[in-house]
Amino acid sequence: MTGYEIKKRMDTTLKYFWSASYGSIYPALSDLVQRGLAVKREDSESKRSKLIYTITDDGRNYLKKWLTLPVQKDELHYETLLKLFFGNEQGAQQAISHIDAFQEKIQKELPYLLDAEQILQKNLDQDTAHRYYLLTVKFGIKTYRTYFEWCEEAKKNSDGGWSVNVC
């Protein structure tokens, strides 16, 4: 795939749990090529010059080894939560505005996950990888439903005095 295609795939398939910018994708691809874990070639069939990256056997072996290593860190970065953490600076209305925007984003993205779940469920026997994709989709669905529930609860608790009940 090209770097553009990799970014596009990340922005659709992986966006619910992993993201990357072009500024991180292209240096990573260059590093993989330098280490012999991928090769690049120029696509001569297209009008524009495109670089196509392909994993090598060494790269696939490296990936398989990496998959066996313990997870080093799982991070969560939500600008919404950071802004809510400092919400006292702008007040309840601004906080509610951020919660509403977050909830709207969830409402738009949850149907994609639900559709993916149905498709994967129907095609589990076609590819063993679908079982693993389904695990990540189910995680996303549960997470998004919990986010939605949190949004509703947070807005109910914002009755002017912004009294939040801790669970």
Side-chain angles (χ1 to χ4, degrees), residues 39-57:
V39 293
K40 72 177 176 180
R41 66 174 171 80
E42 198 165 328
D43 181 11
S44 58
E45 295 178 16
S46 67
K47 295 176 187 175
R48 296 175 51 170
S49 177
K50 291 183 184 179
L51 294 176
I52 310 286
Y53 295 87
T54 306
I55 193 168
T56 62
D57 288 340

Side-chain angles (χ1 to χ4, degrees), residues 4 23 52 55 61 68 71 76 78-79 81 90 100 111 113 117-118 126 145 153 159:
Y4 173 80
I52 310 286
I55 193 168
N61 290 333
T68 67
V71 173
L76 182 66
Y78 280 96
E79 188 174 341
L81 294 179
Q90 292 291 63
D100 283 339
L113 288 167
E117 178 185 36
Q118 286 184 348
Q126 293 183 12
R145 284 182 172 153
E153 187 177 302
D159 57 1

Side-chain angles (χ1 to χ4, degrees), residues 46-47 61 65 68 72 94 97 108-109 117 125 134:
S46 67
K47 295 176 187 175
N61 290 333
K65 182 178 181 204
T68 67
Q72 291 184 2
Q94 183 63 61
S97 175
K108 287 180 182 175
E109 292 180 353
E117 178 185 36
D125 59 343
L134 184 59

Side-chain angles (χ1 to χ4, degrees), residues 112-165:
Y112 174 81
L113 288 167
L114 293 170
D115 288 345
E117 178 185 36
Q118 286 184 348
I119 292 166
L120 289 166
Q121 288 282 14
K122 289 177 186 174
N123 296 294
L124 280 177
D125 59 343
Q126 293 183 12
D127 188 340
T128 57
H130 290 170
R131 284 184 266 163
Y132 303 101
Y133 301 160
L134 184 59
L135 285 174
T136 62
V137 167
K138 285 182 178 264
F139 179 89
I141 290 168
K142 286 183 181 281
T143 302
Y144 273 48
R145 284 182 172 153
T146 301
Y147 289 164
F148 189 84
E149 191 178 303
W150 171 84
C151 289
E152 290 295 309
E153 187 177 302
K155 289 189 294 186
K156 281 180 188 171
N157 288 327
S158 63
D159 57 1
W162 195 257
S163 60
V164 177
N165 298 327

Side-chain angles (χ1 to χ4, degrees), residues 17-88:
F17 60 90
W18 198 265
S19 65
S21 67
Y22 288 114
S24 63
I25 290 171
Y26 285 107
L29 288 170
S30 291
D31 180 57
L32 291 171
V33 169
Q34 281 183 333
R35 294 169 47 202
L37 303 177
V39 293
K40 72 177 176 180
R41 66 174 171 80
E42 198 165 328
D43 181 11
S44 58
E45 295 178 16
S46 67
K47 295 176 187 175
R48 296 175 51 170
S49 177
K50 291 183 184 179
L51 294 176
I52 310 286
Y53 295 87
T54 306
I55 193 168
T56 62
D57 288 340
D58 285 346
R60 191 159 306 280
N61 290 333
Y62 183 86
L63 172 63
K64 287 178 180 181
K65 182 178 181 204
W66 176 79
L67 290 169
T68 67
L69 299 175
V71 173
Q72 291 184 2
K73 61 182 173 180
D74 282 325
E75 293 180 341
L76 182 66
H77 295 273
Y78 280 96
E79 188 174 341
T80 299
L81 294 179
L82 185 60
K83 288 185 176 189
L84 288 177
F85 185 83
F86 292 106
N88 192 51

